[in-house]
Amino acid sequence: MIPLVDLKAQHQQLRSEIHSAVARVIDNTQFALGPDVAAFEERFASYCHARHCIAVNSGTSALHLALLTAGVGLGDEVITVAMTFVATTAAILYCGAKPVFVDVDPVSRTLNPKLIEAAITPRTKAIVPVHLHGLMADMDAIVSIARRHNLVVIEDAAQAHGAEYKGRRAGSIGDFGCFSFYPAKNLGACGEGGAVVCNHSELARHVALLRDWGQEAKYNHVLAGYNYRMDGIQGAILNVKMNHIEAWTDARRAAASEYDRLLDAHSYRRPAPPSHSRHVYHVYAIEVPQRDDVLAALHAAGIGAGIHYPVPVHLQKAYANLGYGIGDLPVTELLAKQFLSLPMYPELQPKQIVEIISELKAVLIAA
Ligand SMILES: *Cc1c(COP(=O)(O)O)cnc(C)c1O
């Protein structure tokens, strides 16, 4: 049995370090924000090549606060993709704004810059590209369109810790970068967590105020804010994990190149990062026809494959009132039918990858 993701493998290595970090916070009682969270913010900002980091309680909260700080509100439109986790769309709706979906590029699987301008209206306020599976969207093209139309760019980097585009890190190119530390993400808390990074000190201050009830000083509320603070315990655990993120990313990239090598003789589409990009392989997804049969056969063979994502946001029942339907986003819809995520985590061994690919070949021949 090879799982899709294996959190236990990672936690076994760090067991005693994590336990003592948690014990330390319980003893010092700095449970909400506090010195460990502040230390994490400093380290994560520098890791992202960004000036500021504001730690929050989830990736969804990070997106919500970045959008609010960008001035997105009632009646505004925000351009994004439907090939993502629903949180990207939900955060836009939390602001009272309308998500406007643009199709993705079939090779990068991220926001297609060629389709953005046709979706811009006088109400458009921001663009939210999603660095799907750990590959950064085409940021030069997106930022240049945004500058031309005076739009804010908010990177959804929830799957892209440490990813690079022309030597620049995820989260540092747009006006804001939003990260998630949900346990299964490339950098995961032992619970929920998230962060906003940005380079502008006034905007960073606004995000930090909104995160903690808009308090400039205790009981002095200058903005109508939220309780989106990061837990002290999560900050302490994330500081332990920051020591390993580069090694884990290298291990994910090594696993991906082993998949690439073994899949070379096959015509199935697989991740195709441009040479100027550092893909961090939160997910390694191939595209196969008859995907559902292939997935069931892999599960029967003990291979934990998955789908990211089987139903795009514009076709989810919860968002039917946005008015989209089948056929509106053809590339997104085809990817949703064909995407197949293979097991991916830093501790995945080369001989497991050989086993996964030989099972996959057997399944594909039978299909
Ligand atoms: C995980 C994820 C989010 C939401 O993060 P949470 O921490 O779960 O709130 C947002 N966008 C994308 C692309 C994600 O993968």
Side-chain angles (χ1 to χ4, degrees):
M1 173 68 206
I2 303 174
L4 179 63
V5 173
D6 185 0
L7 297 183
K8 284 191 179 157
Q10 183 179 99
H11 284 120
Q12 266 148 23
Q13 300 164 36
L14 303 179
R15 197 171 181 281
S16 65
E17 268 185 281
I18 287 178
H19 283 212
S20 58
V22 170
R24 191 166 38 72
V25 177
I26 289 175
D27 289 341
N28 73 21
T29 72
Q30 305 266 0
F31 295 122
L33 298 177
D36 289 290
V37 172
F40 171 69
E41 289 175 329
E42 199 162 309
R43 283 181 83 177
F44 196 69
S46 125
Y47 180 72
C48 295
H49 303 171
R51 278 204 204 102
H52 306 281
C53 169
I54 303 94
V56 294
N57 62 347
S58 74
T60 309
S61 302
L63 287 162
H64 186 196
L65 295 189
L67 287 157
L68 288 173
T69 301
V72 171
L74 205 62
D76 290 332
E77 293 177 2
V78 178
I79 292 172
T80 190
V81 291
M83 178 44 72
T84 179
F85 184 63
V86 291
T88 321
T89 294
I92 295 166
L93 292 168
Y94 294 170
C95 299
K98 182 180 156 206
V100 172
F101 297 121
V102 164
D103 212 350
V104 294
D105 174 85
V107 176
S108 74
R109 303 147 163 189
T110 59
L111 180 60
N112 187 339
K114 293 194 193 79
L115 305 176
I116 294 174
E117 281 190 299
I120 294 175
T121 76
R123 321 208 84 167
T124 309
K125 196 88 179 223
I127 306 177
V128 183
V130 176
H131 303 324
L132 190 75
H133 299 170
L135 178 65
M136 287 180 69
D138 185 358
M139 292 306 292
D140 279 352
I142 292 166
V143 168
S144 94
I145 293 165
R147 295 294 169 257
R148 229 172 15 252
H149 296 269
N150 201 21
L151 306 174
V152 177
V153 176
I154 298 171
E155 298 175 54
D156 183 339
Q159 304 184 358
H161 316 70
E164 288 178 13
Y165 175 91
K166 301 186 182 173
R168 300 172 72 190
R169 287 239 158 142
S172 72
I173 301 179
D175 299 283
F176 301 90
C178 298
F179 291 86
S180 166
F181 309 118
Y182 180 76
K185 297 286 157 83
N186 286 24
L187 180 65
C190 296
E192 307 284 343
V196 179
V197 301
C198 79
N199 287 318
H200 192 294
S201 53
E202 267 312 299
L203 298 178
R205 200 180 95 86
H206 196 270
V207 172
L209 279 172
L210 287 179
R211 150 185 82 172
D212 188 18
W213 293 118
Q215 296 184 91
E216 212 165 48
K218 201 164 172 69
Y219 305 130
N220 179 14
H221 302 264
V222 295
L223 290 173
Y226 299 81
N227 174 2
Y228 282 174
R229 296 177 300 251
M230 177 179 273
D231 282 354
I233 286 177
Q234 302 309 338
I237 292 168
L238 288 167
N239 278 327
V240 170
K241 292 198 175 190
M242 277 305 286
N243 299 329
H244 304 273
I245 180 71
E246 276 308 278
W248 289 334
T249 301
D250 288 343
R252 285 176 183 275
R253 288 170 51 76
S257 49
E258 191 61 8
Y259 275 133
D260 284 341
R261 190 176 69 77
L262 294 168
L263 285 167
D264 225 12
H266 296 261
S267 57
Y268 301 104
R269 297 179 73 134
R270 52 178 203 250
S275 59
H276 60 68
S277 275
R278 182 191 195 220
H279 194 321
V280 296
Y281 296 100
H282 175 57
V283 166
Y284 186 98
I286 59 171
E287 292 159 45
V288 290
Q290 275 116 35
R291 188 268 323 275
D292 292 337
D293 297 339
V294 172
L295 184 71
L298 284 175
H299 286 173
I303 308 294
I307 308 170
H308 302 89
Y309 293 92
V311 180
V313 182
H314 74 295
L315 301 179
Q316 294 282 355
K317 186 174 162 212
Y319 303 109
N321 61 351
L322 295 175
Y324 290 87
I326 292 173
D328 285 341
L329 303 170
V331 177
T332 295
E333 291 166 33
L334 184 66
L335 289 173
K337 285 200 182 80
Q338 299 200 336
F339 261 159
L340 179 76
S341 310
L342 299 176
M344 175 54 80
Y345 46 92
E347 299 77 14
L348 189 66
Q349 296 303 309
K351 73 173 203 299
Q352 293 177 301
I353 295 173
V354 169
E355 185 187 334
I356 292 160
I357 296 302
S358 73
E359 288 293 350
L360 179 70
K361 283 182 189 165
V363 164
L364 292 171
I365 288 164

